[in-house]
Amino acid sequence: MAESFQQFLLQVESKILMSDEERDFLSTLPKHEDGCFDILYNFQGFWIHAAWVKDIQRLSQHFQPLHGDVLLATPLKTGTTWLKALAFCVMNRNSHEPSNTYMEALAVNNPHELVPTMGMHDIIASPESSTPRLLHTHFPYELLPEYVKTSTSACRIVYLCRNVGDNFISSWKFFNKLRRKDLAPLPLEEAFELFCNGVTLCGPYWEHVLGYWKASRDDVDHDDDKKKNKKVLFLRYEDLQRDPQLHLKRMASFLGRPFTIEEEEQGMVSKIVEACSFQRLSSLEVNKGGVYNRFGFRNSYFYERGVVGGCAEYLTPEMMDRLRRITVEKFQGSGLNLDI
C-alpha cells in the first residue's frame, strides 16, 4: 500500500511541476528529506510537499469560492475524518425529506471521498452544480487563497485542532504506516525532535493552529457563532469528544443550517452523532476493507481511536514537559489554551 501512496505523489508532482523555472524555485527553498513524502519544502514558513507548493500557488490564482461554500480546515491527524462526516450530514440533511440519503452515502463511502481535499482533488475543476460546496484543506490559514480570507467572501471556515501531544503521536503512527517499505519505521525520539522543530507536513503545528485561531478572533463579535460577519469557527477535538451534540449544533448554526425544533424533537442531532461515531464508521465494510482511491491505502488507516490524553502512554515526562513549554511560549498572549 505504501508504494501506491509514493506513486501517487510522484504522479501528481510530475503533472503539476513541469517547468524548469518551477523546479528552480523549489531548489531555493529549505528542504527536509522524508521517508513518507520524500521531500518537504519550507514554503512561506510551513513545511509543504512539492506537489502542494504548486497547488497552493495555483489555487491562489484561480480558486473562486462560491456563495455558501464551506471549507473544513484541519492540521493532519486532528479528527479530519470525523469532522468531514459530521459536516457532510449537516450540509446534506433535508428536514422535509424522510429518507436519510446522506447517512446512506456515509454507509458506502469513506468521508474523504465525499468531501474533497485541496491538494488531493482538483478543486478548481470541480463542477459547480452542487452549490454550496463542502470542501476541506490541510493548508495553513496563511496559505489559503486570498479570495477565501477576505471579509467579503461568502465562504465560511470550520477549523478543528487537538492537543499537541495527541496530535504528534497520531501523526507518528499514521505516517509510519505510509513510510517506504525499504526504510525502518521512524523512531519515536527522532520523530519527536522533528515535530518540536516544526518539521511536519503543513507544520509547524503551533503556527498552523495559531493562524486559524487569530482569524477566528479577528472576526466581528467573535464570541457569537451566529454573527453574519464571523468567518471562522474554531473547534477543539477534546470539546467535540466531551459534548458532540452541543458542538454539532454550534457548527450547524454557524453554517446557516441550524437544527429546527422539529428536528431536535425527532432526535436528528443524536442520530447524526451516532451515524458519525467512531464505533459505527470504523465498523462499516467500506472502512474496514475498502481502499482510498486517491492514495491506494486502506481506509482503515483513517480510523484510530483518538483517546484524549493518550499520548501519555508513549511520551516520557520530559517529552511532555518540553511540549508544554513550547506550547506556552508559542501561544503566549494569544488567549488560546490547548491542554497536553
Side-chain angles (χ1 to χ4, degrees), residues 111-166:
H112 295 282
E113 301 287 2
L114 297 172
V115 183
T117 293
M118 291 179 174
M120 299 180 189
H121 300 79
D122 192 353
I123 302 297
I124 296 174
S126 296
E128 300 181 4
S129 57
S130 58
T131 305
R133 297 173 298 179
L134 179 59
L135 308 172
H136 169 261
T137 187
H138 287 306
F139 298 155
Y141 184 80
E142 291 82 350
L143 301 185
L144 293 181
E146 288 301 321
Y147 289 117
V148 173
K149 297 185 288 185
T150 58
S151 59
T152 57
S153 170
C155 180
R156 291 197 170 188
I157 300 171
V158 178
Y159 184 75
L160 179 67
C161 65
R162 68 191 298 194
N163 88 54
V164 181
D166 287 344

Side-chain angles (χ1 to χ4, degrees), residues 1 77 81-82 109-113 170 173-175 177-178 278-293 295-306:
M1 292 295 177
K77 305 310 297 173
T81 308
W82 191 19
N109 294 280
N110 183 282
H112 295 282
E113 301 287 2
S170 184
K173 290 181 178 179
F174 181 74
F175 291 129
K177 293 176 183 177
L178 304 184
F278 174 86
Q279 291 83 354
R280 179 178 183 274
L281 291 181
S282 63
S283 68
L284 295 173
E285 190 57 40
V286 66
N287 295 322
K288 289 195 299 182
V291 173
Y292 184 36
N293 293 329
F295 284 168
F297 58 70
R298 297 181 183 89
N299 285 336
S300 60
Y301 284 7
F302 294 114
Y303 293 93
E304 178 193 358
R305 185 179 295 277

Side-chain angles (χ1 to χ4, degrees), residues 39-244:
I39 298 177
L40 296 179
Y41 293 90
N42 193 295
F43 178 64
Q44 297 184 22
F46 294 92
W47 292 96
I48 309 293
H49 183 267
W52 284 6
V53 171
K54 180 59 180 178
D55 207 54
I56 289 169
Q57 294 173 323
R58 181 168 171 257
L59 286 166
S60 69
Q61 295 171 2
H62 302 292
F63 179 77
Q64 289 277 2
L66 304 176
H67 181 76
D69 274 359
V70 173
L71 181 61
L72 309 177
T74 58
L76 281 86
K77 305 310 297 173
T78 59
T80 303
T81 308
W82 191 19
L83 181 64
K84 282 187 174 185
L86 290 170
F88 178 81
C89 289
V90 166
M91 296 298 292
N92 288 280
R93 79 186 198 281
N94 187 337
S95 58
H96 303 293
E97 174 59 54
S99 65
N100 296 325
T101 54
Y102 57 93
M103 291 189 185
E104 294 169 5
L106 272 181
V108 295
N109 294 280
N110 183 282
H112 295 282
E113 301 287 2
L114 297 172
V115 183
T117 293
M118 291 179 174
M120 299 180 189
H121 300 79
D122 192 353
I123 302 297
I124 296 174
S126 296
E128 300 181 4
S129 57
S130 58
T131 305
R133 297 173 298 179
L134 179 59
L135 308 172
H136 169 261
T137 187
H138 287 306
F139 298 155
Y141 184 80
E142 291 82 350
L143 301 185
L144 293 181
E146 288 301 321
Y147 289 117
V148 173
K149 297 185 288 185
T150 58
S151 59
T152 57
S153 170
C155 180
R156 291 197 170 188
I157 300 171
V158 178
Y159 184 75
L160 179 67
C161 65
R162 68 191 298 194
N163 88 54
V164 181
D166 287 344
N167 172 258
F168 163 67
I169 290 298
S170 184
S171 298
W172 171 64
K173 290 181 178 179
F174 181 74
F175 291 129
N176 263 336
K177 293 176 183 177
L178 304 184
R179 195 168 168 84
R180 295 203 315 264
K181 288 188 175 180
D182 61 315
L183 297 175
L186 187 65
L188 176 66
E189 294 76 12
E190 184 177 342
F192 182 77
E193 194 64 31
L194 289 170
F195 185 87
C196 288
N197 290 325
V199 184
T200 184
L201 184 60
C202 292
Y205 182 74
W206 295 272
E207 279 74 4
H208 196 295
V209 174
L210 274 174
Y212 285 93
W213 171 253
K214 290 177 179 178
S216 74
R217 306 298 285 180
D218 287 342
D219 287 337
V220 176
D221 297 311
H222 55 249
D223 290 327
D224 188 342
D225 296 338
K226 299 178 183 178
K227 290 294 183 181
K228 292 182 179 179
N229 291 329
K230 185 172 178 65
K231 288 184 56 62
V232 181
L233 177 64
F234 190 96
L235 299 174
R236 297 173 179 85
Y237 179 87
E238 295 76 17
D239 295 334
L240 196 56
Q241 279 271 29
R242 277 190 288 267
D243 196 338

Side-chain angles (χ1 to χ4, degrees), residues 239-292:
D239 295 334
L240 196 56
Q241 279 271 29
R242 277 190 288 267
D243 196 338
Q245 293 193 34
L246 171 65
H247 295 288
L248 179 64
K249 290 192 288 185
R250 280 186 65 204
M251 179 167 63
S253 296
F254 172 75
L255 297 178
R257 301 292 185 91
F259 290 97
T260 64
I261 295 175
E262 291 77 14
E263 284 179 316
E264 294 204 37
E265 290 177 346
Q266 294 168 4
M268 178 70 72
V269 178
S270 61
K271 288 178 182 177
I272 290 178
V273 168
E274 173 59 28
C276 299
S277 68
F278 174 86
Q279 291 83 354
R280 179 178 183 274
L281 291 181
S282 63
S283 68
L284 295 173
E285 190 57 40
V286 66
N287 295 322
K288 289 195 299 182
V291 173
Y292 184 36

